Amino acid sequence: MALNPVNSDGGTGDRLAPVLRPVRAGNGFEEALEQILQVLRLGLVPGGERLPAERELAERLGISRVTLREVLKVLQDQGLVEARRGRYGGTFVLPRADAGGEDELRRRVAGVDIEDVLRFREVLEVGAAGLCAAHGLTDRRAERLRQALTATHEAPLADYRRLDTLLHLTLAELSGSPTLTAQYAAVRATVNDLLDCIPLLVRNLEHSQRQHAAVVEAVLDGDADAAREIMREHCGGTAALLRGFLT
């Protein structure tokens, strides 16, 4: 179920939209680096796949190609991407190293206020679901949401969290608030760092999938109260797992 990262109609262009946006002139390099790092941390372009072409990335970020190349050079130096030449060349995301191990877990948890992250995530997720339901979605946007849900149902275990992230980012984007979307992308990146420290539990994933389907159904039915309540419950399940493993 590989997703084509260079397809501009329904491919990376759609799944990167919640994260990539024009940067402010004063901090172009820093903000561009932050956004592309979010793309990598969220797994929106998985290991082994290619980032959008330099021209597209530069246009989306509102920076020069010179600045973009400086950003990509930093990512190469950090071992996150590699440049390949030739007809099928470009900038490719390198597979992430195994995030396991007690030392890594302690490092990640030490600098994070888990309760704050989880509460902020719930506020944003519940709000996004309610806004989508209350304002309604066009046919095209409703289909985007259905496709994101279907992708999670079809995902192999190793790819589940990336596609789960994409579903939630899609809901955030469809809420109509770019500020909410940007804030959610940032908090979700932190949540994913924490989730990488705990095992994937099939029973929990099955439960999550039922909740995903119920949230999407409530949104498409325009039932804002139900959408908010189901999303609140869904966030609570993830929070319980993280608290159980990490605190």
Side-chain angles (χ1 to χ4, degrees), residues 1 5 33 40 44 86 89 113 148 165 176 183-184 204 208 232 244:
M1 58 173 288
L33 178 59
L40 302 183
L44 298 183
D113 184 335
T165 296
Q183 291 293 318
Y184 179 69
N204 169 251
S208 291
R232 184 175 290 107

Side-chain angles (χ1 to χ4, degrees), residues 3 11 30-31 78 83 89 97 99 104 115 128-129 153 180 185 191 207 216 229 241 243:
L3 298 173
E30 292 82 2
E31 292 188 15
Q78 295 299 309
E104 176 66 9
E115 287 301 323
H153 284 303
L180 185 154
V191 169
H207 183 218
V216 170
E229 187 55 36
L241 277 181
R243 290 186 186 108

Side-chain angles (χ1 to χ4, degrees), residues 14 21 27 53 55 57 70-71 86 89 114-116 142 151 168 184 193 195 197 199 202 209 215 229 231-232 238 247:
D14 281 343
R21 57 198 179 278
N27 296 308
R55 179 178 178 181
L57 273 177
E70 293 175 349
V71 169
I114 295 176
E115 287 301 323
D116 182 57
H168 285 269
Y184 179 69
D193 275 348
L195 287 171
C197 295
V202 173
Q209 281 301 96
V215 168
E229 187 55 36
M231 184 59 83
R232 184 175 290 107
T238 303
T247 63

Side-chain angles (χ1 to χ4, degrees), residues 23-51:
V23 301
R24 292 171 292 186
N27 296 308
F29 170 80
E30 292 82 2
E31 292 188 15
L33 178 59
E34 177 187 18
Q35 289 186 37
I36 297 179
L37 279 169
Q38 280 192 359
V39 167
L40 302 183
R41 290 174 66 198
L42 291 167
L44 298 183
V45 180
E49 292 194 8
R50 184 171 53 188
L51 290 173

Side-chain angles (χ1 to χ4, degrees), residues 122-135 214-215 218-219 222-235:
E122 180 179 328
V123 168
L124 295 175
E125 293 256 29
V126 170
L131 285 170
C132 286
H135 294 170
V215 168
V219 167
D223 189 340
D225 288 341
R228 285 190 289 263
E229 187 55 36
I230 297 165
M231 184 59 83
R232 184 175 290 107
E233 180 180 309
H234 179 60
C235 290

Side-chain angles (χ1 to χ4, degrees), residues 89-175:
T91 301
F92 287 77
V93 178
L94 293 175
R96 295 179 63 177
D98 183 6
E102 290 298 318
D103 289 343
E104 176 66 9
L105 188 152
R106 283 194 294 269
R107 183 190 69 79
R108 293 189 184 199
V109 173
V112 177
D113 184 335
I114 295 176
E115 287 301 323
D116 182 57
V117 169
L118 295 177
R119 287 170 184 162
F120 190 43
R121 181 218 177 179
E122 180 179 328
V123 168
L124 295 175
E125 293 256 29
V126 170
L131 285 170
C132 286
H135 294 170
L137 301 178
T138 64
D139 289 345
R140 183 175 180 180
R141 287 172 172 247
E143 184 57 27
R144 275 191 61 198
L145 185 58
R146 291 190 188 97
Q147 289 176 356
L149 175 65
T150 298
T152 63
H153 284 303
E154 297 174 351
L157 198 60
D159 213 22
Y160 180 81
R161 279 189 178 145
R162 180 176 67 83
L163 294 170
D164 170 54
T165 296
L166 182 57
L167 171 61
H168 285 269
L169 278 170
T170 299
L171 265 172
E173 185 188 6
L174 295 178
S175 73

Side-chain angles (χ1 to χ4, degrees), residues 72-94:
L72 295 177
K73 178 64 165 56
V74 170
L75 298 175
Q76 289 181 57
D77 291 345
Q78 295 299 309
L80 299 174
V81 302
E82 69 175 8
R84 301 178 191 171
R85 299 184 181 277
R87 181 178 178 184
Y88 300 105
T91 301
F92 287 77
V93 178
L94 293 175

